[in-house]
């Protein structure tokens, strides 16, 4: 069952396949099906989407840390469970294929979690295959153990990495995404770092946890609203022309500077103290 140190007004959703632990402005989300290497089912994706909806409504939580229980991040989709449900879900005449709708739900989830106002830290140890690799690609900061294992494994099952491919390509480029998807090759954390899939590589699980702890402390020194705005502007460069983006950025700069965080941040700098949001970090 989830644990939380949040207030009753910010009660976390109940998600049996996840462990949720909130400590002030930090929410830790742990995929919790270690007996199947945290493979994702449709129900787990539904629970993850519920957590994303909660996070969207609680911008005062500035950091989301995602990891996996039992020494493994995520082995991808639960193929046995998916195949059983797919066999039972036959399309009716003139209706969309339910497999298509189920697959598309994962893309909706990835789109929403990537756009969260929170700074998302992903910590990878063990396997990150298929959808697990795709989930890693939405992180703002991704750390991996050196011996972690990655693969775009879908093509070996006779299917494309349909919903995760755009997120993988956005992270490492189309050329590298083609290499990984069209070979299904497995590679380790060091290679993931070399191609830019992860930002930092550490030696083992203990070093991974220590690095996450330091990153969370760094993020807490940043104003959550300013981080959310910065993230939104950086993401907008994918679809917004430069002049329009610079106009938008200047408007956001003025809004933030005149807002509560900007006023507090400048005052704290001039008074040589920590700003209110960084207290205790």
């Amino acid at each position: 069952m989830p644990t939380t140190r949040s207030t009753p007004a910010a009660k976390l959703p109940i998600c049996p396949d996840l462990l949720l632990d909130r400590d002030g402005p930090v929410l830790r989300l742990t995929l919790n099906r270690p007996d199947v290497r945290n493979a994702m089912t449709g129900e787990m994706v539904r629970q993850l989407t519920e957590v994303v909806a909660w996070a969207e409504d609680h911008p005062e939580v500035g950091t989301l840390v995602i990891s996996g229980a039992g020494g493994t991040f995520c082995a991808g989709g639960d193929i046995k469970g998916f195949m059983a449900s797919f066999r039972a879900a036959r399309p009716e005449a003139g209706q969309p294929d339910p497999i298509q709708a189920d697959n598309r739900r994962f893309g909706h989830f990835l789109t929403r979690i990537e756009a969260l106002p929170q700074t998302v830290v992903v910590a990878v140890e063990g396997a990150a295959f298929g959808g697990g690799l795709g989930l890693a690609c939405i992180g703002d900061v991704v750390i991996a153990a050196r011996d972690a294992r990655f693969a775009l494994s879908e093509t070996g099952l006779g299917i494309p990495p349909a919903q995760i491919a755009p997120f993988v390509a956005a992270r490492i480029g189309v050329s590298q995404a083609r290499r990984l998807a069209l070979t299904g090759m497995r590679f380790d954390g060091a290679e993931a770092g070399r191609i830019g899939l992860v930002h930092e590589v550490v030696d083992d699980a203990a070093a991974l946890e220590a690095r996450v702890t330091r990153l969370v402390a760094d993020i807490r020194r940043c104003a959550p609203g300013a981080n959310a705005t910065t993230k939104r502007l950086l993401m907008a460069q994918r679809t917004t022309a430069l002049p329009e983006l610079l106009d938008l950025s200047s408007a956001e700069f003025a809004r933030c500077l005149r807002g509560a965080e900007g006023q507090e941040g400048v005052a704290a700098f001039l008074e040589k103290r920590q700003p209110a949001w960084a207290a205790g970090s």
Side-chain angles (χ1 to χ4, degrees):
M1 294 293 289
T3 60
T4 179
R5 288 187 285 272
S6 62
T7 63
K11 186 177 180 181
L12 291 165
I14 296 175
C15 300
D17 293 333
L18 310 172
L19 296 175
L20 302 174
D21 184 7
R22 179 181 174 189
D23 184 6
V26 180
L27 175 62
R28 296 199 66 145
L29 184 163
T30 305
L31 308 180
N32 191 38
R33 301 183 72 225
D35 53 321
V36 290
R37 298 191 299 168
N38 301 316
M40 289 183 284
T41 61
E43 172 58 20
M44 179 187 272
V45 172
R46 187 198 66 76
Q47 293 174 29
L48 286 165
T49 304
E50 190 174 351
V51 175
V52 167
W54 184 94
E56 289 169 341
D57 290 338
H58 293 84
E60 71 278 9
V61 175
T63 306
L64 173 63
V65 179
I66 304 175
S67 60
T72 294
F73 182 62
C74 177
D78 186 332
I79 300 302
K80 183 177 180 181
F82 278 133
M83 288 310 298
S85 64
F86 289 166
R87 289 191 185 100
R90 296 290 181 179
E92 298 180 7
Q95 298 299 313
D97 192 322
I99 295 177
Q100 177 183 352
D102 189 82
N103 183 253
R104 186 65 182 91
R105 274 191 286 273
F106 190 57
H108 282 304
F109 158 70
L110 291 175
T111 301
R112 286 180 68 179
I113 193 170
E114 186 180 51
L116 280 175
Q118 285 79 13
T119 300
V120 179
V121 177
V122 176
V124 180
E125 58 178 322
F129 297 156
L133 187 153
L135 181 57
C137 285
I138 60 85
D140 298 306
V141 187
V142 186
I143 316 298
R146 195 170 304 279
D147 62 355
R149 291 165 293 130
F150 298 81
L152 279 175
S153 50
E154 286 86 348
T155 51
L157 299 171
I159 55 178
Q163 297 299 301
I164 67 172
F167 299 91
V168 177
R171 174 57 59 97
I172 62 175
V174 172
S175 176
Q176 289 286 12
R178 286 162 59 186
R179 178 174 76 101
L180 300 182
L182 301 179
T183 63
M185 63 181 289
R186 294 193 178 191
F187 54 100
D188 61 13
E191 174 69 1
R194 188 189 72 80
I195 65 176
L197 195 151
V198 307
H199 300 105
E200 300 181 36
V201 180
V202 298
D203 288 335
D204 52 31
L208 186 68
E209 179 59 29
R211 184 64 186 123
V212 168
T213 299
R214 291 195 300 273
L215 274 169
V216 168
D218 287 342
I219 295 166
R220 287 190 65 173
R221 286 192 285 271
C222 302
N227 266 12
T229 299
T230 299
K231 180 174 175 177
R232 187 169 65 253
L233 291 172
L234 289 171
M235 298 289 287
Q237 61 83 31
R238 294 179 181 175
T239 56
T240 308
L242 181 58
E244 182 183 348
L245 181 57
L246 292 177
D247 287 343
L248 175 62
S249 298
S250 64
E252 288 295 309
F253 179 84
R255 181 186 65 80
C256 288
L257 185 58
R258 293 185 184 280
E261 282 186 354
Q263 294 298 302
E264 168 63 9
V266 171
F269 176 80
L270 294 175
E271 295 165 13
K272 296 182 171 55
R273 59 172 175 82
Q274 282 192 329
W277 60 78
S281 63

